[in-house]
Structures are given as C-alpha cells and as structure tokens.
Amino acid sequence: SKENGSNSYQFYTEDMHKRALERLEIENCLRKALEKCELSIVYQPRFNIRTGYIVGAEALVRWNHPVLGSISPSVFIPIAEETGIIHDIGKWVLYNACKQTYYWYNNVDTDFQISVNISAIQFQRDDLVDIVKKVLSDTGLKPTMLELEVTENTIMQKTEKTLNNIKELKEIGVKISIDDFGTGFSSLSYMKEFHFDNLKIDKSFIQDIGVSYSNESIISAIISMAHSMGMTVVAEGVETEYQLDFLITRNCDEVQGYLFSTPLTAEEFMFNYLCNDKI
Ligand code: C2E
Ligand code: CA
Ligand code: CA
Ligand code: CA
C-alpha cells in the first residue's frame, strides 16, 4: 500500500521481527560465551573522597563476540537473567574477580574490597551462600575483602530467602551494598533490617548535580540518613569536578566514576593503581 500508515506499520513489525531475531541470536551466543571464553572482567576503582586513596574496585563483566562485537551488559545481563544463564555467568564473574583480587592481595591494603554485582534472581536461590563460601575457600580471598552489590529491586521482593541469604553472607564476613539507590521505591526505613554496609547512590542523581536542585536535596538527605543508619555512602558515575566538590561538601564517603577512571582490564588496573595507590 502507498498509505503512510500501513508503511509505518510494516516497518514497525519488520523492526520488531528483526529485534526478536537479534535477541534470539544473542541468547544462543550467550549460552556458548562462557565455554568459548568470550567473557572478561574489567575493574573500576573506587576512592575515599577525603584521602583520595583507592579503597576498592567494582568488577564489571564484558562480552566480546567474534561476529556480533562487543555487547553491553545492560543488553545481555537482562537476557541472562530471563533465561537463567545468569547463574553460570554470575559464578564465573565471582570466582574470577576473587581470584584476581587474591593475586593482587600483596599489593593492596587489607581493607581493599572487590565489589561484585549479584542479580536479584541469584538471591532467590538456596545455593548462593554455598557458592560464595566455595569461591572464597577455592581462591583464598578473605570474606571481608568481598562486597556483593545488590540492587534495590532485589530487596523490594523481600522474600525470606533473600533476607536469609543476606544475613548468612554478613555472618561469614562478606560486605553487602545496596546498588543504584534512589531508582526503586524502597524507603530508607524499609532498608533498616538489611543492615547494609554501603549505599551506592545511582548515577542518575549524580548527573543532576548542578542541574536539579530537588535531586541535590535528595542526595543530601540520602547521605545523612544512610550515615545515621551506619552505612558508608558511595557516589557512582562521578564525571566532573563540580559533582565531586558538591559530594565533598555533603559528606559523601567514597566516589567512583569517569572523572577518576573508566573500568580497566586487570593489567591496566594493576599498572595504574597497585603500584602507586593515590588518585
Ligand atoms: P552498575 O552496577 O550500576 O555499574 C555501573 C555502570 O556505570 C557500569 O556500566 C560502569 O561502566 C558505568 N560507569 C562507571 N562510571 C561512570 C561514569 O562516570 N559515567 C557513566 N555514564 N557511567 C559510568 P556497565 O559496565 O556497562 O554495566 C552496566 C550494568 O550491567 C551494571 O550497572 C550492572 O547492573 C550490570 N552488570 C555489569 N556487570 C555485571 C555482573 O557481573 N553481574 C551482574 N548481575 N550485573 C552486571
Ligand atoms: Ca554495581
Ligand atoms: Ca550502580
Ligand atoms: Ca545501574
């Protein structure tokens, strides 16, 4: 048909079809990505805002497919979660990040922490604590050097399993932080019973510093309430000096973002930070 409406309809369905195929292709490739060694881990340093010293790093998974190229975790992690592939990917990231950190152990302070992202559905499983314990004993890493980042939607479900998993992990000394804080709907009082060690303010708020006065007030409120609940506050996605200065005046504890460093390969990370650990 020559009608615009039907042309755009056809375009729309073709586009949807193409996207469905792409998704299926990603899903099929993702299943093989682990055995084909296409996954890797990059490390983004995190710093004490006052001293400037490095306090840890966040492990972030990367996927480089020989044909599809580099695929962002924000694309493949949701697919991995829907298909359950996340359980194997999650274990792989945890093991390799801990092994790498143990290897760095002699070059870092004992309070250095490696942060690993854990999906909500990994928290729904009975074997999470056993997996973490086994990774720690296999790699030799001290539990206090491992921090697990859980997103707000993980705790929104507040199932007994999630609560128990968090409690048991804390009992063996593993640190737990709440990631992307501010994007969900949980109140700070709701979070009290989880006893998180750290709170990471979502980067969407940090990007609003100097732009949205109301979001600046929210950041200040989050920091003071988190402190009153005994949590350390980390700002993620810090890109400018202006944002850093604001966060210093509001008593934020730690920072992470492109202003300091993008995520780095293990080699780059070691070269840049573990020989000379000041910003
Ligand atoms: P996230 O946990 O919130 O990780 C922070 C993201 O912000 C990372 O994106 C990081 O590269 C990016 N980032 C760091 N500094 C800046 C900055 O200054 N500005 C901006 N605009 N971005 C910055 P990345 O690596 O693409 O990861 C995206 C998301 O994928 C992560 O968000 C996390 O939710 C998920 N993810 C990554 N690795 C894993 C993993 O091993 N397991 C699970 N379950 N999820 C993962
Ligand atoms: Ca994270
Ligand atoms: Ca985050
Ligand atoms: Ca995020």
Side-chain angles (χ1 to χ4, degrees):
S1 163
K2 282 172 196 153
E3 242 178 276
N4 265 343
S6 96
N7 275 342
S8 59
Y9 176 71
Q10 200 177 356
F11 175 77
Y12 179 62
T13 51
E14 266 173 25
D15 192 46
M16 278 176 52
H17 182 65
K18 195 171 151 250
R19 264 188 288 155
L21 277 180
E22 259 170 25
R23 210 208 110 106
L24 203 64
E25 194 182 2
I26 289 178
E27 187 182 321
N28 287 333
C29 294
L30 193 52
R31 289 187 195 283
K32 298 171 203 137
L34 263 180
E35 7 171 321
K36 292 190 171 173
C37 300
E38 293 165 1
L39 298 185
S40 60
I41 301 173
V42 286
Y43 299 87
Q44 188 178 36
R46 178 163 125 191
F47 303 91
N48 179 303
I49 202 168
R50 279 169 286 273
T51 65
Y53 281 103
I54 188 165
V55 292
E58 178 174 5
L60 295 156
V61 68
R62 291 292 177 263
W63 180 21
N64 193 22
H65 185 272
V67 178
L68 301 175
S70 150
I71 300 160
S72 164
S74 29
V75 171
F76 72 82
I77 290 290
I79 298 175
E81 288 172 341
E82 283 167 41
T83 52
I85 305 171
I86 192 68
H87 294 292
D88 286 335
I89 292 180
K91 248 190 270 182
W92 184 86
V93 172
L94 184 69
Y95 175 78
N96 286 284
C98 288
K99 190 172 145 190
Q100 182 65 66
T101 306
Y102 183 75
Y103 175 74
W104 286 335
Y105 182 61
N106 290 324
N107 298 297
V108 297
D109 286 336
T110 44
D111 57 357
F112 182 93
Q113 269 164 20
I114 184 72
S115 305
V116 177
N117 294 284
I118 305 288
S119 289
I121 66 156
Q122 290 176 269
F123 266 94
Q124 293 297 317
R125 286 251 292 239
D126 287 321
D127 57 359
L128 181 68
V129 178
D130 288 336
I131 289 170
V132 172
K133 280 184 184 162
K134 179 150 189 350
V135 164
L136 290 170
S137 73
D138 286 355
T139 60
L141 193 73
K142 289 202 296 185
T144 50
M145 290 180 74
L146 175 64
E147 175 183 72
L148 302 180
E149 297 192 359
V150 310
T151 55
E152 231 180 326
N153 64 1
T154 306
I155 63 157
M156 291 296 287
Q157 294 153 6
K158 204 173 165 186
T159 62
E160 212 165 316
K161 206 165 278 174
T162 300
L163 271 165
N164 281 340
N165 277 336
I166 290 178
K167 193 168 153 266
E168 281 182 46
L169 287 165
K170 288 205 54 136
E171 273 164 14
I172 61 170
V174 171
K175 308 284 180 215
I176 311 280
S177 72
I178 175 90
D179 198 5
D180 297 348
F181 191 79
T183 57
F185 299 96
S186 60
S187 63
L188 277 161
S189 61
Y190 174 90
M191 296 200 355
K192 241 185 219 159
E193 52 194 295
F194 291 95
H195 301 288
F196 293 114
D197 298 282
N198 281 300
L199 180 152
K200 294 185 94 168
I201 304 176
D202 193 65
K203 57 177 173 284
S204 60
F205 285 94
I206 307 307
Q207 273 148 20
D208 272 351
I209 294 171
V211 180
S212 157
Y213 180 73
S214 68
N215 277 352
E216 286 181 0
S217 314
I218 292 173
I219 293 173
S220 305
I222 290 175
I223 293 173
S224 51
M225 283 197 267
H227 282 163
S228 74
M229 288 165 61
M231 289 185 272
T232 298
V233 181
V234 187
E236 65 170 20
V238 179
E239 293 180 355
T240 67
E241 292 286 349
Y242 185 86
Q243 292 164 350
L244 175 63
D245 290 342
F246 173 90
L247 292 161
I248 292 170
T249 64
R250 303 305 158 104
N251 254 336
C252 182
D253 305 290
E254 296 172 4
V255 279
Q256 190 183 331
Y258 297 162
L259 178 62
F260 316 101
S261 174
T262 57
L264 304 170
T265 64
E267 292 72 23
E268 292 168 330
F269 187 87
M270 187 156 77
F271 183 77
N272 286 357
Y273 294 104
L274 302 183
C275 307
N276 172 5
D277 60 3
K278 190 108 195 195
I279 290 185

